[in-house]
Structures are given as C-alpha cells and as structure tokens.
Amino acid sequence: MKHNTDTLYTFITGGAFASFAFLVGGVDKLLIAVGIFMILDYVTGIAASIEDKSTSSKTAFKGLLKKASMLSLIIVANQLDIITGNEGSFMRNAMLMFLIGTEGISLLENLAKLGVPFPSNFKAVFEQMRDKNNGGDK
C-alpha cells in the first residue's frame, strides 16, 4: 500500500504556520519587517563574528534563542491586546516597533564591525523608535 506523505507534510506545516500566525496576531507589514530585521541581524552577526575570527556555535545558538524569545514577546503582547479588548493591536504594534528598533541598532552595529559605511542618522532613527516604545523621552 502506497502512502502519500505530501499530504501529511502539508497538513503539519500548514497547521504550524496557521497556529503561529494566530498567536502573533496575523501576518502584516510590521511582522514581516521584524522577521526580515531578525534574519538580517543574525546573518550579519555571523558575518561579523567570522570577520573577528570569534565564531562560536554556542554564541550563534544563543542568538537564535534570543530571536525565539523576541517572538514570544510578540505573542504575549498580542494576547494582552486580546485580553484587554484592544481592537487596534496597540501593544502588539508597540512591541513590534520596539523590536524593529533594537534589531535595527544591532544590525547597524554588525555592519559597522564589517566596515560597511552607512548614514549616521540611521542609528538615531532606530534609537528613537526603541526609546519611544521603551517609555523614554527621546
């Protein structure tokens, strides 16, 4: 008897992605931006560690755990919006913008380690995003 494993694979991956999308409050432009920033930060972090000759699988795994914990913060913020009845997703969007700010700063630091020039006002914009969403006065 021949089994079709494509259906099982599709069911499992589709279910996983649908569950993730539900938990984070849907896939929108902010979530996509955070995902892109996370991937770019991780890749440039690895490139910077190769440049510094300080590459470590332990450090790379720690970076992946950090990214996973950031995703859990998005889930928590989304659940707080649901609990409080906030239809505008204020807490989720604030968390996403905060994470874009922190990931953007980290990305620029990695690029600086690699010797890539960038406009100085880029870092100021990311710091402003991070500080506004962190309760700072900047």
Side-chain angles (χ1 to χ4, degrees), residues 5-16:
T5 57
D6 290 342
T7 305
L8 178 63
Y9 174 76
T10 304
F11 176 75
I12 292 172
T13 56

Side-chain angles (χ1 to χ4, degrees), residues 35-114:
I36 290 170
F37 273 67
M38 285 180 163
I39 292 168
L40 289 175
D41 178 47
Y42 189 74
V43 169
T44 57
I46 290 173
S49 70
I50 290 171
E51 180 76 20
D52 294 343
K53 296 180 176 49
S54 63
T55 307
S56 164
S57 60
K58 184 176 181 180
T59 306
F61 183 70
K62 187 177 175 184
L64 286 176
L65 289 177
K66 180 181 169 187
K67 304 299 180 207
S69 64
M70 288 178 180
L71 291 175
S72 68
L73 286 174
I74 297 168
I75 293 169
V76 168
N78 181 54
Q79 293 304 308
L80 288 173
D81 276 333
I82 291 170
I83 290 169
T84 58
N86 186 358
E87 295 293 323
S89 301
F90 172 75
M91 289 182 239
R92 175 187 177 270
N93 291 343
M95 180 60 69
L96 288 170
M97 287 188 277
F98 171 74
L99 292 176
I100 288 172
T102 57
E103 290 295 295
I105 291 169
S106 179
L107 176 64
L108 293 178
E109 289 171 351
N110 291 338
L111 291 175
K113 288 178 187 175
L114 291 169

Side-chain angles (χ1 to χ4, degrees), residues 25-41:
V27 178
D28 59 355
K29 292 178 183 180
L30 275 176
L31 187 68
I32 291 170
V34 168
I36 290 170
F37 273 67
M38 285 180 163
I39 292 168
L40 289 175
D41 178 47

